[in-house]
Amino acid sequence: MEYEPVIGLEVHAQLLTSSKIFCACSTAFGAPPNTNTCPVCLGMPGVLPVLNRKVVEFAVKMALATNCRINTYNRFARKNYFYPDLPKGYQISQYALPLAEDGHLIVETAAGKKRIGITRIHMEEDAGKLIHDEHNPYSYVDLNRTGVPLIEIVSEPDIHSAEEAAAYLRALHEILVYLGICDGNMEEGSFRCDANVSLRPKGQEAFGTRTELKNMNSFRNVQRALEYEIKRQEYILEGGGEIVQETRLWDDSQGVTNPMRGKEEAHDYRYFPDPDLVTVHIDETWIEEIRKTLPELPMARRERLQKEYGLPAYDAGVLTSSRALADYYEEAARLCGAPKIAANWVMGDLLKLLNEEGKTFDACPVGAASLARMIRLIEDGTISGKIAKELLQEMYAAGKEPEEIIAERGLVQITDEGALKAVIEEILAANPAQVAQYRAGKEKVFGFFVGQAMKATGGKANPRLLNDLLKRMLAP
Ligand code: ADP
Ligand code: MG
Ligand code: ZN
């Protein structure tokens, strides 16, 4: 029997507001335990939550970017459960009336473009963090993260392979970071994913029983966990067994999923509207205001870069991998007027220099305008491409302008025929044996003369002129 995987993903993204969702505490990561707390996020009796307007604004941005319908009136609900990282005994979330519904995302997969439905996006607060120290008999609880704003993005079960799931996640992640509403850091937990997966016989409409996978903290691990789980379910079904609906934890070191015991199992969260918070009203005017602030999204930008600058899909993909990189590239390309050459420099030498230091384009020591001027200097023959490579390294290290370094180091290309002729004459005179060989028909020796001339001029000879002159002067 052939089975088709059915996958739906639940993504939690931490929003980049400076204060928490229902109080004024800081959301900064890494502060000493329990210092970013107040009676509201500690869940003291008698306190009242007040909704952070910025959270709604950020969530609406994501809803618009993923083609959702925004519910003019939406509401917070209490999700009740007991766990030491949840001081109130309930999490404020949204349930019956979420912020947004019925969206979709177009994702590029190996098999082409694919539309994946988004069921809903809702706002909620994060819980705290338990810290277990193996050398200590106690567990500790850090409530700095309690009340940090999250959005949960729930997909339709439209995904049919582990690879597609990873592509969808990458697309969501890219949009969140492009919008500037999430830092996307998966290790710090700013972007987390639970994956639901079931199998059904190929051609069957009805879904099979699903399991929910947790504890994957990278795109790669989500893909690996799903691949493992698909095989595990296939094995059970093929043996005539039944899938148990349960939550399973990914074990990275073993490369397997194991059933999880404890809090998440068979839950009745007793959801009900939170009486401490009024209904959220998002009117058209506000939505339109927010829509105006949306940047061009990654996929649209990739397509425009290909059309506008004639770039190959690969280049457009690399150059739009972050907004800062794409902005940098576009400025350089416009200023120098040679978009493909600019793409090569940005993706090649410059990206390499930045990667070596773990830097990104927000912190590039070479401005886009300086790079553009350097490219123009190559284009107009002032410097050779080879010299430009060294030049760029120095511009990067010293933060200097290209013209400055060229003047300091005398890097201008030798385009003066007379000067170059004199150099060649000397070389010919000093190497009569090679000259004779060339004239006798051994054309390979030509490279030797180019090398000698480049050495004599410190790489500054204009290559085309050098070639022409050598050909002429070596002719028998
Ligand atoms: P819960 O709140 O229990 O996690 P939801 O109905 O919100 O359940 O669904 C969570 C996710 O599971 C959604 O992304 C949905 O697309 C997905 N899903 C639902 N049924 C299946 C199934 N049979 N197989 C795979 N994924 C599923
Ligand atoms: Mg779930
Ligand atoms: Zn607080």
Side-chain angles (χ1 to χ4, degrees), residues 14 103 114 179 200 265 337 339 366 374 404 428:
Q14 222 175 69
K114 188 172 167 170
L179 292 174
R200 63 180 171 193
E265 285 321 290
V366 178
M374 188 201 85
E404 222 179 321
L428 299 193

Side-chain angles (χ1 to χ4, degrees), residues 5 10 40 81 85 88 105 234 248 336 368 452 470 472:
E10 295 163 273
V40 173
Y81 64 91
D85 64 8
K88 293 194 297 294
L105 206 62
E234 214 169 64
R248 299 178 67 88
C336 78
Q452 291 294 308
L470 270 174
R472 259 192 275 153

Side-chain angles (χ1 to χ4, degrees), residues 3 14 22 38 126 129 155 162 186 201 216 218 229 232 263 271 277 299 324 328 330 339 355 404 412 417 434 445:
Y3 293 98
Q14 222 175 69
F22 299 120
C38 73
D126 209 345
K129 210 157 74 183
S155 90
M186 288 180 92
M216 299 88 68
S218 67
E229 184 62 15
R232 189 189 69 88
K263 71 160 179 171
Y271 279 101
L277 285 154
M299 184 175 285
Y328 183 97
E330 285 208 72
N355 282 345
E404 222 179 321
V412 176
E417 216 177 297
Q434 283 85 346
V445 193

Side-chain angles (χ1 to χ4, degrees), residues 191-210:
F191 182 93
R192 323 194 269 268
C193 168
D194 300 340
N196 298 269
V197 55
S198 63
L199 296 188
R200 63 180 171 193
K202 264 229 163 93
Q204 178 185 304
E205 184 95 25
F207 293 150
T209 305
R210 70 175 147 132

Side-chain angles (χ1 to χ4, degrees), residues 297-314:
L297 294 174
M299 184 175 285
R301 199 165 191 179
R302 267 196 286 284
E303 282 165 7
R304 182 173 59 77
L305 253 56
Q306 293 180 54
K307 274 204 204 99
E308 197 172 324
Y309 302 108
L311 294 180
Y314 174 81

Side-chain angles (χ1 to χ4, degrees), residues 193-380:
C193 168
D194 300 340
N196 298 269
V197 55
S198 63
L199 296 188
R200 63 180 171 193
K202 264 229 163 93
Q204 178 185 304
E205 184 95 25
F207 293 150
T209 305
R210 70 175 147 132
T211 57
E212 180 168 4
L213 311 182
K214 287 179 185 282
N215 201 36
M216 299 88 68
N217 61 356
S218 67
F219 296 122
R220 192 169 155 268
N221 281 343
V222 172
Q223 189 166 343
R224 285 173 68 208
L226 280 167
E227 276 160 5
Y228 173 85
E229 184 62 15
I230 289 166
K231 283 215 189 82
R232 189 189 69 88
Q233 292 189 12
E234 214 169 64
Y235 181 79
I236 292 173
L237 293 174
E238 236 137 49
E242 271 180 27
I243 306 300
V244 181
Q245 177 156 357
E246 63 186 354
T247 301
R248 299 178 67 88
L249 291 186
W250 169 245
D251 179 338
D252 190 32
S253 61
Q254 304 294 312
V256 300
T257 63
N258 290 309
M260 171 173 121
R261 285 143 297 150
K263 71 160 179 171
E264 295 289 345
E265 285 321 290
H267 250 304
D268 176 3
Y269 291 119
R270 295 172 293 127
Y271 279 101
F272 62 87
D274 192 315
D276 286 346
L277 285 154
V278 293
T279 301
V280 185
H281 180 205
I282 305 173
D283 61 20
E284 268 313 306
T285 326
W286 194 17
I287 295 176
E288 286 319 307
E289 252 170 55
I290 297 170
R291 198 192 298 277
K292 280 192 208 119
T293 69
L294 289 186
E296 186 180 20
L297 294 174
M299 184 175 285
R301 199 165 191 179
R302 267 196 286 284
E303 282 165 7
R304 182 173 59 77
L305 253 56
Q306 293 180 54
K307 274 204 204 99
E308 197 172 324
Y309 302 108
L311 294 180
Y314 174 81
D315 293 27
V318 174
L319 294 170
T320 52
S321 58
S322 83
R323 219 166 122 186
L325 168 51
D327 289 346
Y328 183 97
Y329 165 71
E330 285 208 72
E331 195 187 339
R334 285 202 190 111
L335 290 173
C336 78
K340 177 57 186 154
I341 293 169
N344 293 347
W345 282 100
V346 170
M347 298 189 308
D349 295 66
L350 201 49
L351 197 57
K352 191 165 151 251
L353 286 167
L354 287 165
N355 282 345
E356 274 164 12
E357 292 187 73
K359 279 190 182 162
T360 60
F361 270 86
D362 315 87
C364 184
V366 178
S370 307
L371 180 75
R373 284 214 305 282
M374 188 201 85
I375 293 170
R376 278 220 297 261
L377 290 168
I378 309 170
E379 295 288 281
D380 70 13

